[in-house]
Amino acid sequence: MLGSKLLNLIAEGLGLEQGYFDKGLCEEGNLSVNHYPACPDPTLTLGAGEHFDPGLMTILHRDDVEGLQVLYDGNWGLIEPVPNAFVIIVGSLLQVVSNGKLKSAKHKVVINAMRDRTTLGFFNEPTKECIVGPAKALVTSENPPIYEPVQFRDLLKAVVAAFSSEKN
């Protein structure tokens, strides 16, 4: 599976043992198919509001229609579509596990005025009951934990609540 291979590479890059994410952190996956119809006046509708993905990582396949934007240095930047490529989005849980070495990307989807857009997103997640915190191998006296352990269910609720409050 692509997600497992990518997470093993991320574990290696962080200095964690091979298979670190296979130990209860990547037991579930959710597939989301989204279709965004074109709208002649895109300001009249919303694709997906500003949000962080709660899990470890999102693997996004999209067609060649623009629409994904990422917040960077306080500005929204368009992620140009690349044919036959995936977009990998670091989730909030991976930010916690990496003790802040990897940052979750705030992103949104805007509607295209001329063309419909379809995406497939695969979300790598643990079970809702899983307790997660910074990886012990990444925590030292010089690099103390910046996150408390949290049950994934609670992290998920917090991310959803933040998304909902931004819509109002």
Side-chain angles (χ1 to χ4, degrees), residues 24-148:
L25 287 176
C26 192
E27 293 182 359
E28 295 190 2
N30 296 305
L31 180 64
S32 173
V33 179
N34 295 299
H35 182 72
Y36 307 97
C39 179
D41 184 355
T43 62
L44 296 176
T45 188
L46 179 65
E50 304 174 16
H51 66 283
F52 294 95
D53 290 345
L56 286 167
M57 171 180 68
T58 301
I59 301 170
L60 183 68
H61 182 271
R62 59 202 183 128
D63 53 25
D64 63 349
V65 179
E66 294 178 345
L68 179 63
Q69 294 185 352
V70 174
L71 188 63
Y72 182 75
D73 284 342
N75 298 306
W76 288 102
L78 185 67
I79 304 299
E80 296 289 335
V82 176
N84 303 313
F86 292 101
V87 175
I88 307 301
I89 300 171
V90 170
S92 298
L93 184 58
L94 189 52
Q95 182 171 324
V96 169
V97 171
S98 73
N99 202 32
K101 289 184 178 205
L102 300 174
K103 303 291 185 199
S104 183
K106 189 176 212 178
H107 55 285
K108 66 180 180 178
V109 176
V110 295
I111 300 301
N112 189 286
M114 307 298 285
R115 297 179 57 203
D116 290 3
R117 181 172 184 270
T118 301
T119 63
L120 293 130
F122 183 79
F123 303 90
N124 293 93
E125 299 177 345
T127 64
K128 305 294 184 270
E129 296 75 28
C130 185
I131 306 281
V132 232
K136 290 182 181 17
L138 301 178
V139 175
T140 64
S141 56
E142 297 84 35
N143 189 39
I146 57 176
Y147 301 101
E148 293 291 322

Side-chain angles (χ1 to χ4, degrees), residues 8-20:
N8 279 328
L9 290 170
I10 289 169
E12 182 181 343
L14 289 171
L16 302 172
E17 75 265 13
Q18 188 75 344
Y20 178 85

